[in-house]
Each structure stands twice: as C-alpha cells, then as structure tokens.
Amino acid sequence: MRLFTKIARTGIVTESLPAGAADGVSLARDIEVRTRALFGRALAIRAVDAGSCNGCEIEISGLPGPTYDMERFGLHFVASPRHADLLLVTGPVTRNMAVPLRKAYEAMADPKLVLAVGDCAHSCGVFAGSYAVAGPVASIIPVDVYVKGCPPEPVQILSGILAAIGAVEAPKAR
Amino acid sequence: MFAMFGAGALLAVVAPSGRSARWSSMVAALLGTIFAVSLAALVLLEGHAWSLHLAGVLEPLGGVALTVDSLGAVFLGIVGLTGAPAAVYALGYVRSLDTQPRGRMIHAVFNLFLASLCLVPAAGNVLTFLVAWELMALTSYVLVVSDPTSDDGARAGLWYAVMTHAGFAALLAAFLTLAGGGATDFASVRAHASTLPSSQLTLVFVLAIIGFGSKAGLVPLHIWLPRAHPAAPSHVSAVMSAAMVKLGVYGALRLFFDLMPPGPGWWGGVVLAAGVTTAIAGVLYSVADTHAKRLLAYSTIENIGLIFVGVGFALLMRGYGYAELATMGIVVCLLHTVNHAAFKTLLFLGAGAVIHGTHSASLESYGGLLRRMPQTAVFMLIGALSLAALPPLNGFPSEWLTFQMLVAGVGQSASQLAILLPLAVAGVALTAGLAAVSAVRLFGITFLALPRTPGAASADEAPRTMRLAMAFPALLSVALGLAPSLVVPRLALVATDLGLAPARLNAGLALALPAVGSRYQPLLLAGLIAAAAALTLVLVSRRIGRRSRHADDAWNCGRLIHSPRAEYTAASFAEPLGRVFAGFYRPTQQIRIEVHPVSRYFVRSVGYQGTLAPWLEQVFYVPVVAAVRRMARRAGRLQTGSIQFYLALLPAALVALLLLSTWLR
Amino acid sequence: MEQPLVVALQALLLVALGPAVVGYVRWLKARMQGRRGADILQPYRELRKTFAKEMVVARSTSWIFHLAPFVLVASTTTAAMLVPVIVIGPSADALGDLFVLVALLMLGTAFLALGGLDPGTAFGGMGSSREMTIAALTEPTLAVSVLALALTSGSTSLGAITGGLVETPGRALGPGHVLAFAAFFIAMLAEAGRLPVDNPSTHLELTMVHEAMVLEYSGPYLALIEWAAAVRLTLLLTLAVNLFFPWGMARSLGPMPLAIAAASFAGKVLLLGAVLAALETRVAKLRLFRVPELLAVSFTLALLAAASAVFVR
C-alpha cells in the first residue's frame, strides 16, 4: 500500500516539450502527406541498435518514462518490425549488423519511416573509418529523419519522431 | 456377414496375384463391414434383437449362439464404421507388400480379425463370447508382429500376448463364477447371477475390471497399448484403437448392467476414479511423446478413461439409487465411444498416411507437410480439432455432456460424493485442456512451418484410396459434431433397454437438459462462427487483396538464414508441461560434452538425451516379471536330465490326481 | 422476435467497447506511473492505422496463417453473444452455456497457437507452447468455478446464474461466492493475458506469451488479432461482474431498466478495470514456471468454493 500512497503524493511529473527541443533534428527527405496523416495520432516504433555504444539507447530508454512520456503523443515501442511504422536506428552500422538492419527494414510493412539517432547513425561519429564499420545508416537503408548529437537529448529524439509524423516543424538536411 | 469375412480370408490366400489378392480380400472385408453396420442399424431402429443359434456346433460347451440387442448393436455398428475405412485404406497402404506372401497373410488375418470383432458384440452365450475374444486376441497378435523389420514389433507382441491372456484368464474365471456350472447362455447366466452372494459378485467385479480393463487400457493395465498399436500396420492400429479397445467397454457394460444384478455404489466410485486417473495419465504421456502412433495410442488411453468416467458414474448413481443420472452416464459413455471411434480412426489413418509419405514415424522429423500433403492435412486438422474437444466438432458434445452429467450428479446426489465428483470435474477439465495441447502440437509440428528433414521435404501425398478412406470418418466427425442428436436418442434407448430410467435429455437441433435449462446448439453455433468469419472477411478483404506482399523469410531477428533448425520441436513444445508435471514424468537427462584436447574451453560437441522414466512399469510390472522369473528358475530344477526321474514323475502325478479327485468328491 | 436482436446488440456492444476498455486500463496505469498517457480512444486510432498498413506474408506460412485471425475473431464474437451484458435473458442460452463459452475461447486460442507455429520461427513456437500450456492449466479452475456457480443456481446456463443471483441476493453472502470470484479472477488474468501471468506491453520476446504468437502478423490481420484480444478482455471482465455481481441488470426491455442496467454495467466494468490496473501496477510478472503455482492456488479456491456450495445447500 505504500506504493499507492507514494503514487498519490508524486502525481503527474510529465514535462511539456521545451522551446529548443527540435535542435539537431533535420529531415533527410520529404515525407508523404498521406503517411503523415496515417501516423499522425498513432505510431509504432521499433528500435535497432546497429552497433552503438549504448549512449543513445540510454537516452531513448527515457522516452517511455514519466518525464518524457511518449505515449501521450500516441507513440509506443513494439518488438517486431512487422508491427512497426518507424525504425529507430542508432550506431554506426557495423559490418555484422549491416544485413540484419537491412532485413529489419525489409520486414516492415509499408508505409514505413526511418529515423537515424545520433552522430554515429548520421556519419559514423567517432567510429568513422574503423575496420568494423560498414557505413552510416543511409548507406544501408533510406533515412527520413536525422537527430544529431552524441548523444542527443531525449526531448530532441522525441522531437525527431514528432517531426517524422508532422507534429513538429523541422528543417531539411543539407 | 461372416461368410463375407471368411470369403475375404480365403481369397487373400488363393487369389492368383498379389494385387488381386489385396483387392478381392479388402472388397470382401468392406462388404462384410457394410453388412455389420446394416444389421446394427436395423436392430437399433426397429428396437428388437436379432438372434441365431447354431445348435450343432460345439454342443457340449453350449453351442454357438448369436444375439444382437441394442447394446451389442451400438458396438457392432462401431466395428463396421471403423472397419470399412480401414479396408479401403489398406488398398493403398499395403500395396508395397503385394509380391510378398506376408501381404496375403495380413489381408487374410485382417478379415478374420474383423470377423472376430463382429462376433464379440453378437455373442449370445459365454462360449461364443470367449471364443470370439480369444480369436480377436490371436488375430491382432499376428497383425502386431507382422512386420519383421521393426525391432520392437516382437517385444510389443510379447507384452500384448501376455497381458491379453492374463485378462482372458480373469474373464474366464469371472464368467464361470457367474454361470456357476449351469447353462451358459446369457439368459441363464443372468438368472444365476442374481442368486449369488455379494462377496462372489464383488470377486466377479474385480476379475471383470482386470479382464476388460486390460483390454480397454485402464491404467495400470495399459502397458501393452502404447507398444502394440504403433507396431501394427496403420489400418490395423485404427481398428484396434477405435473398435477393439471399445469391446472392453462393451464387456464391462454387458456384465455390470445386463448380466449382473445392481451392485453397491462403491463399485462405481472405483471405476470413476480409475477412469479419471487413466484419462490424466494417458493425456500426459500423449503430450510428451514424439512417436506419431504412440502419441495416438496414449490418446486412446485418455479417451478410454473418459468413457469409463461415464461407466463409473452410471454404476455409482445406480448404486445410490439415482436412476436418471445413471442413464445419463450410459448415454455419455456410449456417445463418447462413438465419437472417439470416428476421430481416432481418422487420426490413425492420417498418421499412417504421413508415415507412408515420409518413411518416418517420429514427430521430430516432420514439418511443412501441409504443402506436400494438402488433403491429408485437412483431414488431420478435422481429427486434431475433434481430439481437442473443440466446438463445433464431435469431441465437444460428449465432453459437454460429461460435464453436465457430473454437475447434475453433484447437485442432486448425496453429500458423501461431494469430494469425488468435483475432483472428477477438475480431472476431466484438465484432460480436455491437455488434449488440446496435444492436438495443436500434433498438427502444428507435423504440418506447419518448414520441413525438418529431407524426408519431410520430399514427402508424397497419400494414394487416392487412402485419402478416400480418410474422408469417410472425417465426414462422420463433422456430422456427429454438428448434429449429435442423430445418435443420442438411440443411445438413450440402449439405456432403457438395460432397465434404467428414461433420460431427461432433449435431443432436437440442440442438446438440452430440460431439468436444469442448459443447452448446446451446435448447428446454430457453427453457423454463427462461419457467418462472423465471412463477415469479417468481407469487411477486410478489400484491404488484404490490394495491399499484400510476400516476403521470402519470416522475421527471425535478422538472422542470415531461416533454418528449420530454429523451429520449435515436438519435445520443446511439451517442455513447459514437462516441467510442471515433472513429478509424474520423472524425466532423466544425460548431457555429454566433448571438448577439444588442447583446451577444455573449446567445446566440440554437446549431446543431450532426455528420457521419461517408465516408472509405471517399474512399480507394477518389474516386480511381477522378476517374481515369475524366480518361480520359473525354481521350477527349472525339475529338469534334472535323468530319464528315471522323469519316468518316476508320471505315476506320482497320477496318484496325486486320484487323491485330489477323491478329496473333491 | 426481439430476442435474437437483443443478443446481437449485446455482442456488438462488447465488440465495439473492447478497445475502449483496453484504453481505459492503459490510461489508468499511465496515471499511476505519474505520466499523462494517451486517452481512452487511443487503441481505436492504433487499430485504424494498422488496418491501413500493408500486409507482409512470409513464404514459409500456409493457409492456416490466413485462417487463424478469422477463426479467432469469429469464435470471440460468438462467445460474446453468449454473455449477458445488460439484459438477463434466456435468449442467449439457446446457443450454449458457460462450458460452451469456455470451449469457444479455447477454439480461438488453439487457432492462434497454430498461427504462431506456422511461420516456423522460434518465438512463434515458444508463444504457442506457453499459451497452450497456460490455457490447459486454466481449464480445471474454470470448470470447477462453473460447478460452484451451477450448484448455487442449479444450472450452468448464464441466464439462470445471473437471474438466480438477482432474484435471491442472499446467495452471494456465502463464502463460496467470494472464493469462486477470486478463483475466476485469477483464471481471467491467465485467459486474457494480463499481469502477473503475461505482460501485454512487454518487448522482451523471452517474457512474451500472447505477443510471441503474433510477431509475424502485420496489417489487417494484426488489427483483427489485437481487436479480438481486446474483446476477449472485455468479455471476461463482463463475465466477472455479471456472474458474480449482476444486480442492476435489466429483466425487461423498457427504457428505464435498460438505462439503469447500462449505467450499472459501465460502473462495474470501470471499477473492475481500475482494480485490474492497480493490480498490474503493484505486481511484477511471474516467471513462467511459477505460473502453474498461481493457477494451482486459484484451483484450490475454486474447489473450496464448490465444496462450500455443496455443504451450505
């Protein structure tokens, strides 16, 4: 019962998105209006770790929690790419993960989106040129949105997802 | 009818070529079974018995008398309905043995087997019954050991022969006690039995349970069943499982409800408890087994347990004086007998088709057979869903009636049954749930996913005669599931013929118990399910047709190759239940790890072997077998090898017999 | 003639309300976790989105993969027709009683298990195996609970059980009633796939039971399966409130009784849903091999309920 008194005392701790939340978010290509309309209120996300150092993972793992509460925007994580609409990729794609990442993308049902999180996913980050790295995410699968940072903050990742479904404005990447 | 079977046997032996032997003998068998079914239907529909007395044959022992009353007609009908598809099936199944004399022998003996199966429910006196019983045992023994290439065929035959003859001895003693030295036709036996004291009746009860129980497969007398049924050819296994073990039920019903006067209630309690135990033990072993036919044999044991729940309930209620509940017990028992005969025939014939196509009997080597054997898969799906007792197929009405019967029993009967009957409800429910697991596992591992061995990948569909043979019990299962009222009223008549009260059971479009208001409407339910599915399909089909893509691989977490090695096997499917019931299974496992000689951290291979300890045998049978061996060794000391000793034994035996006969006079 | 209409409308109500009940429980859990969460209608949006997606079918599957979602939806909908939601009536009993309902739910489970085995993936087989095991172990509890209810009301038909309790509320005072409710509640958690038996929102495949069977489904089939799961939960919650606390249900079809019955049904389901949400917040998922212990506890409770029903008679 102590749990429920604690719940009552704590209340709702969710924070609304701050002003500079969309820093570092950029669109790699235009997203179809029809796709945005379809995913506007409900989006299923599958996260793939393509060889990351887990710094981005720790930031992502804060998203379902009380502070950032991705569920209030209709976002939720799923286990299988067949159920997913958005593929959330972290890490410079290592050689071993190149084929599985490709297979995860192909297993998804259309329409689908890809969001690359972190500097590694964008341009291999600090691991660029390593013998174990096959290339950035865009060299394996087509990317729709980038969220740069090492690691990006949870609000930035959240804004990136919202930009993919059109709930937040973001500039085009160059 | 018997002329047909005789002709069939003869034709099998004398026909000019192997192929014509097969066709002529099986056609004769088919005609014989059709005669049997027509006779049974005639008796059931007209309501009076058919009898025939052959006075000249074996007169000193009582002559050969045949009587088919309503109880016998039900079982005769079951034999016919099971034998007919088996005969058609054999046309395609045993084709490979055409050139060998073994093939002719199998056809001839199969005809004799069917003849003896028809004789048992038609027997009108003790002699005919016992002769038919023994003939049934002998012919099925020959068929069990008919495959010289199988290793366990001979051992299975040995177990079978010993157990069936032990049961026969018990039955002989029981019948002789009942007849008491007088005339042996059933009417005189009935009259004499009503004069016996209750201690002798109890002795007969125990002997009958041992004799008929071992034929039917009650635990712990079931040991021969999972050995003998897989060893026999598949059409023979189907008849054995669907018809022969039911004759154990027939014998029990004939003795307890017809020949013997009503006994005390505790008889019913014993049979009920034995039924529930058998059902749970049978289904637990069937869930864990990986041999296709042995799995089905254990499932037969489970269903026999459920049938004996009905018999035990009827005995119990009659003993406590609740006549209508006793009738319900008989109806439930007979309905489940008919339903089980239908779907077990189907399953065994289907398993035989799969074994025929893949040349392997192990569940672990199947997979993806739905694509290679599409029609067999449909038949096996119907059989598996019936086995799982799911509506609207025919396993469900008998299970539903079993529950209703037990609930009515708790509600209306004495409070000393207040513990036994709810436990019986729980036992039957657990059995039903586990049977569903077994059915899903059987169908899913065999027919779905990818082939696990090259044999499964290149399996051939069964020949047309085999598929035709499977279609008949499949249609019967569906019909009995959608319209159980086709047979329920006739089965209720059997109960009244046995002298019990009429059943309070409405069997129209729905099965209804007017006293309590519970109903089950299979046709309407099936119609609603089909309508709901069709409506959903119509609503969704536009989306499916337009936007659908075929992928090469299933999602397997991005692995490079989608290998069948990653699929769930039959053993792994049953593993959670194996853990839950580890106290029952007593599993043992052996793990062998082979390491590289340079360093023990480089593992070359890991071998795993898991077995289920056959503790039932160790507890019940190993001591008996050991004792018999000890006695045989001691008796062997008589073989001294000296001729004078043997010659001296002869007058000694003569003197002993003379003294014995004087003492007995 | 209005009786089939009543049955159809009640079933339609359950089918339509299914996702809303799931959304309500999710919303409550979110609030208890200190976050805002999505609103009650979110599952409808997810279903609408999933319906519109493409469907990907692997080549290792067969027609069983296609058949399974339809059989699941059809059997769950037919089971929904048997449940008295607002009106107590003998009309639904023309189809079947409580045993038939349990068997229909098992039909859906069996086909979903076959659909999980069909693609030939390891997780599909794992989900099928676990789901069938739990369903098999739940059967004795459900059967003996039905027995306990039937002993007090004299019949296993749903109309008789609910009608009997409404007419003689005194029956609910016995210990058997509470015990039977507790046993049924635990069995309901197992059948509907909720904590502590199965976590409906887990992403770890090794902890999945129901989810693991549907990992391969996508598009409209996935939407059908999710909908059927939501209807199943709603159906079981409705059974729990209406079999054990049926007061307020309408016995006639007048506007006033119907309004009262609808309000009381909504109130009871909201209350039981809140209890479910609180339970799911408080407990953690049980390890799979501890689930049979939980089911054995519920079986013992059911057996005690049946025994007390016999002796109190």
Side-chain angles (χ1 to χ4, degrees):
Chain A
M1 288 323 285
R2 275 194 354 225
L3 175 68
F4 290 105
T5 47
K6 184 170 182 185
I7 289 174
R9 256 186 299 123
T10 315
I12 311 286
V13 297
T14 310
E15 300 169 356
S16 40
L17 285 180
D23 294 340
V25 176
S26 56
L27 296 175
R29 53 181 193 176
D30 288 323
I31 299 173
E32 281 184 50
V33 176
R34 210 164 49 94
T35 310
R36 282 196 173 170
L38 184 64
F39 296 147
R41 305 290 297 277
L43 185 79
I45 305 173
R46 209 309 183 157
V48 174
D49 173 353
S52 114
C53 70
N54 288 343
C56 293
E57 263 72 33
I58 294 179
E59 305 299 322
I60 291 172
S61 66
L63 287 178
T67 312
Y68 301 104
D69 193 15
M70 55 192 271
E71 214 188 10
R72 64 188 149 134
F73 300 110
L75 316 171
H76 65 115
F77 282 119
V78 289
S80 167
R82 295 247 195 268
H83 301 180
D85 311 312
L86 177 82
L87 199 65
L88 200 72
V89 191
T90 56
V93 184
T94 53
R95 288 184 194 280
N96 287 343
M97 279 304 290
V99 172
L101 178 62
R102 179 90 214 160
K103 284 192 164 222
Y105 179 73
E106 282 166 2
M108 289 169 71
D110 277 332
K112 50 195 175 188
L113 299 169
V114 176
L115 194 155
V117 175
D119 289 336
C120 290
H122 175 249
S123 55
C124 300
V126 297
F127 302 108
S130 157
Y131 64 89
V133 165
V137 178
S139 66
I140 312 286
I141 54 179
V143 179
D144 295 291
V145 183
Y146 285 111
V147 178
K148 289 203 271 266
C150 188
E153 302 219 346
V155 284
Q156 291 175 298
I157 303 173
L158 194 52
S159 307
I161 301 174
L162 293 173
I165 58 176
V168 156
E169 285 300 320
K172 250 333 260 283
R174 240 155 299 116
Chain B
M1 168 174 67
F2 296 106
M4 269 290 132
F5 288 128
L10 202 60
L11 280 170
V13 173
V14 306
S17 81
R19 187 170 174 279
S20 62
R22 175 165 50 93
W23 274 89
S24 51
S25 56
M26 286 301 114
V27 166
L30 181 64
L31 289 174
T33 52
I34 294 177
F35 276 131
V37 174
S38 351
L39 179 61
L42 205 67
V43 171
L44 279 176
L45 288 172
E46 291 204 349
H48 55 255
W50 170 91
S51 47
L52 175 69
H53 185 82
L54 298 170
V57 185
L58 294 174
E59 187 56 47
L61 292 170
V64 171
L66 301 177
T67 310
V68 180
D69 62 353
S70 52
L71 179 65
V74 171
F75 286 89
L76 185 63
I78 289 175
V79 169
L81 287 175
T82 311
V88 176
Y89 188 85
L91 285 174
Y93 186 66
V94 201
R95 208 188 288 163
S96 54
L97 294 175
D98 274 350
T99 48
Q100 303 174 21
R102 187 158 64 92
R104 292 169 183 262
M105 187 264 301
I106 288 181
H107 296 308
V109 176
F110 185 62
N111 272 294
L112 291 175
F113 180 47
L114 284 177
S116 62
L117 283 175
C118 291
L119 258 183
V120 171
N125 68 3
V126 172
L127 172 73
T128 323
F129 188 90
L130 289 176
V131 165
W133 196 265
E134 186 60 20
L135 190 63
M136 186 173 76
L138 285 175
T139 46
S140 51
Y141 170 78
V142 170
L143 289 169
V144 163
V145 299
S146 63
D147 187 2
T149 59
S150 91
D151 324 311
D152 26 67
R155 294 206 58 210
L158 182 64
W159 273 105
Y160 181 42
V162 169
M163 294 216 57
T164 199
H165 283 102
F168 181 76
L171 284 183
L172 189 60
F175 271 115
L176 288 181
T177 316
L178 276 185
T184 56
D185 63 289
F186 280 168
S188 327
V189 172
R190 206 175 291 134
H192 184 261
S194 53
T195 64
L196 287 175
S198 66
S199 58
Q200 284 203 1
L201 286 175
T202 306
L203 177 69
V204 172
F205 168 75
V206 170
L207 288 170
I209 285 293
I210 293 176
F212 291 123
S214 67
K215 176 61 73 179
L218 285 181
V219 164
L221 302 166
H222 68 285
I223 294 289
W224 62 273
L225 231 162
R227 289 183 160 84
H229 284 217
S234 297
H235 61 295
V236 175
S237 303
V239 178
M240 281 171 75
S241 226
M244 193 178 76
V245 298
K246 304 303 188 309
L247 293 178
V249 179
Y250 165 74
L253 285 175
R254 174 69 68 194
L255 226 57
F256 297 147
F257 285 95
D258 188 23
L259 295 181
M260 286 166 66
W266 66 263
W267 287 7
V270 166
V271 176
L272 184 65
V276 173
T277 317
T278 306
I280 296 181
V283 77
L284 279 176
Y285 276 123
S286 96
V287 163
D289 210 306
T290 55
H291 185 286
K293 285 178 26 177
R294 202 165 51 224
L295 186 157
L296 291 174
Y298 275 120
S299 157
T300 301
I301 295 176
E302 169 220 332
N303 283 285
I304 287 289
L306 290 176
I307 294 172
F308 271 98
V309 165
V311 175
F313 184 81
L315 276 175
L316 192 64
M317 289 299 136
R318 192 180 62 168
Y320 279 102
Y322 302 100
E324 286 151 355
L325 290 173
T327 312
M328 272 207 69
I330 297 288
V331 171
V332 165
C333 150
L334 290 175
L335 182 65
H336 199 64
T337 310
V338 174
N339 282 334
H340 178 243
F343 67 74
K344 195 42 70 75
T345 311
L346 176 60
L347 283 171
F348 262 109
L349 295 183
V354 169
I355 296 176
H356 181 84
T358 59
H359 305 288
S360 159
S362 166
L363 223 54
E364 307 286 23
S365 65
Y366 297 155
L369 291 178
L370 196 100
R371 262 174 294 269
R372 303 290 309 184
M373 312 173 74
Q375 285 138 1
T376 309
V378 171
F379 293 134
M380 283 294 272
L381 182 63
I382 295 174
L385 290 177
S386 306
L387 182 66
L390 292 174
L393 288 168
N394 69 341
F396 184 67
S398 40
E399 184 203 311
W400 185 80
L401 270 181
T402 310
F403 279 130
Q404 292 298 337
M405 161 188 97
L406 288 170
V407 168
V410 182
Q412 296 170 30
S413 71
S415 53
Q416 59 252 56
L417 303 170
I419 286 300
L420 176 66
L421 289 177
L423 283 177
V425 171
V428 173
L430 181 64
T431 309
L434 291 174
V437 178
S438 183
V440 167
R441 174 178 177 256
L442 174 65
F443 183 76
I445 301 287
T446 307
F447 289 99
L448 302 180
L450 294 172
R452 292 179 180 82
T453 55
S458 58
D460 296 315
E461 175 64 280
R464 223 169 342 153
T465 45
M466 284 161 73
R467 276 176 278 156
L468 189 65
M470 285 192 271
F472 176 64
L475 283 171
L476 195 63
S477 284
V478 174
L480 284 174
L482 289 178
S485 311
L486 286 175
V487 292
V488 168
R490 305 273 178 271
L491 300 177
L493 284 177
V494 173
T496 39
D497 282 348
L498 288 173
L500 296 167
R504 284 189 297 165
L505 181 67
N506 279 358
L509 269 183
L511 279 180
L513 295 158
V516 293
S518 316
R519 304 184 66 173
Y520 168 55
Q521 248 275 39
L523 264 177
L524 193 56
L525 217 58
L528 281 173
I529 295 176
L535 188 65
T536 318
L537 181 63
V538 162
L539 288 175
V540 177
S541 62
R542 280 183 305 121
R543 298 238 181 239
I544 295 176
R546 211 164 7 119
R547 320 198 57 191
S548 165
R549 159 163 72 95
H550 283 274
D552 283 328
D553 287 340
W555 169 247
N556 58 353
C557 298
R559 266 200 301 281
L560 292 171
I561 309 167
H562 185 187
S563 153
R565 289 298 306 273
E567 290 168 8
Y568 245 52
T569 61
S572 47
F573 197 92
E575 198 255 352
L577 278 172
R579 282 216 203 192
V580 171
F581 292 103
F584 174 83
Y585 288 122
R586 316 263 181 98
T588 58
Q589 61 184 36
Q590 269 186 327
I591 302 179
R592 287 178 311 275
I593 303 179
E594 195 189 301
V595 292
H596 199 275
V598 169
S599 161
R600 69 180 180 88
Y601 292 109
F602 287 109
V603 172
R604 271 214 276 234
S605 72
V606 179
Y608 171 86
Q609 187 178 24
T611 49
L612 298 179
W615 61 273
L616 273 174
E617 291 169 39
Q618 283 164 355
V619 167
F620 288 104
Y621 290 91
V622 168
V624 170
V625 171
V628 167
R629 280 222 180 97
R630 271 198 309 270
M631 285 196 311
R633 230 175 292 133
R634 264 188 231 139
R637 283 196 224 127
L638 278 176
Q639 294 177 314
T640 54
S642 128
I643 266 249
Q644 289 90 332
F645 181 71
Y646 295 153
L647 284 174
L649 277 181
L650 288 171
L654 187 60
V655 167
L657 278 172
L658 285 170
L659 284 175
L660 188 66
S661 61
T662 333
W663 177 69
L664 276 178
R665 196 94 47 76
Chain C
M1 246 306 101
E2 73 250 5
Q3 289 194 341
L5 196 62
V6 167
V7 167
L9 283 176
Q10 288 190 129
L12 221 59
L13 185 68
L14 281 183
V15 170
L17 279 185
V21 170
V22 170
Y24 167 69
V25 174
R26 263 195 231 162
W27 178 81
L28 274 181
K29 281 165 72 172
R31 292 279 149 158
M32 283 193 240
Q33 288 166 15
R35 50 190 183 90
R36 281 196 226 134
D39 61 22
I40 294 184
L41 301 179
Q42 181 66 16
Y44 291 106
R45 297 188 198 110
E46 283 171 19
L47 285 171
R48 201 197 62 157
K49 180 231 9 162
T50 314
F51 258 116
K53 296 235 345 178
E54 170 198 56
M55 201 162 66
V56 185
V57 177
R59 265 184 241 284
S60 57
T61 60
S62 62
W63 53 265
I64 295 277
F65 187 78
H66 295 267
L67 184 64
F70 292 104
V71 174
L72 180 65
V73 168
S75 66
T76 314
T77 314
T78 313
M81 288 188 210
L82 294 175
V83 179
V85 180
I86 295 186
V87 180
I88 303 174
S91 54
D93 300 332
L95 287 172
D97 64 351
L98 209 40
F99 284 120
V100 178
L101 197 150
V102 171
L104 280 173
L105 291 179
M106 183 62 127
L107 177 68
T109 307
F111 264 95
L112 193 61
L114 286 176
L117 276 172
D118 204 14
T121 55
F123 289 131
M126 185 189 80
S128 305
S129 160
R130 291 176 170 190
E131 179 81 13
M132 290 306 298
T133 305
I134 293 176
L137 294 175
T138 322
E139 289 270 319
T141 305
L142 286 171
V144 180
S145 311
V146 173
L147 174 69
L149 286 170
L151 285 176
T152 47
S153 62
S155 162
T156 55
S157 76
L158 291 143
I161 296 174
T162 45
L165 262 181
V166 168
E167 276 160 31
T168 50
R171 284 192 203 151
L173 290 175
H177 198 75
V178 177
L179 287 172
F181 177 70
F184 187 83
F185 189 77
I186 298 178
M188 178 192 82
L189 291 177
E191 284 278 333
R194 311 295 299 190
L195 286 163
V197 176
D198 179 20
N199 187 352
S201 57
T202 184
H203 314 304
L204 304 171
E205 285 90 347
L206 289 178
T207 62
M208 291 176 180
V209 178
H210 178 269
E211 257 323 288
M213 292 189 289
V214 303
L215 286 176
E216 191 59 28
Y217 282 100
S218 54
Y221 284 170
L222 178 66
L224 285 178
I225 293 176
E226 296 293 328
W227 199 313
V231 173
R232 194 185 181 120
L233 175 67
T234 312
L235 192 158
L236 288 167
L237 283 176
T238 311
L239 268 184
V241 300
N242 281 346
L243 285 180
F244 295 95
F245 310 105
W247 304 288
M249 287 177 75
R251 256 176 290 188
S252 58
L253 291 176
M256 198 54 186
L258 281 179
I260 297 177
S264 79
F265 169 67
K268 283 184 277 185
V269 169
L270 288 177
L271 184 61
L272 195 60
V275 169
L276 181 66
L279 180 74
E280 293 203 316
T281 306
R282 180 66 185 85
V283 303
K285 184 176 119 55
L286 272 181
R287 200 195 148 188
L288 178 73
F289 299 119
R290 304 278 315 269
V291 170
E293 294 171 19
L294 178 68
L295 294 174
V297 167
S298 80
F299 173 68
T300 317
L301 291 174
L303 207 58
L304 286 173
S308 80
V310 170
F311 290 117
V312 164
R313 212 161 13 116

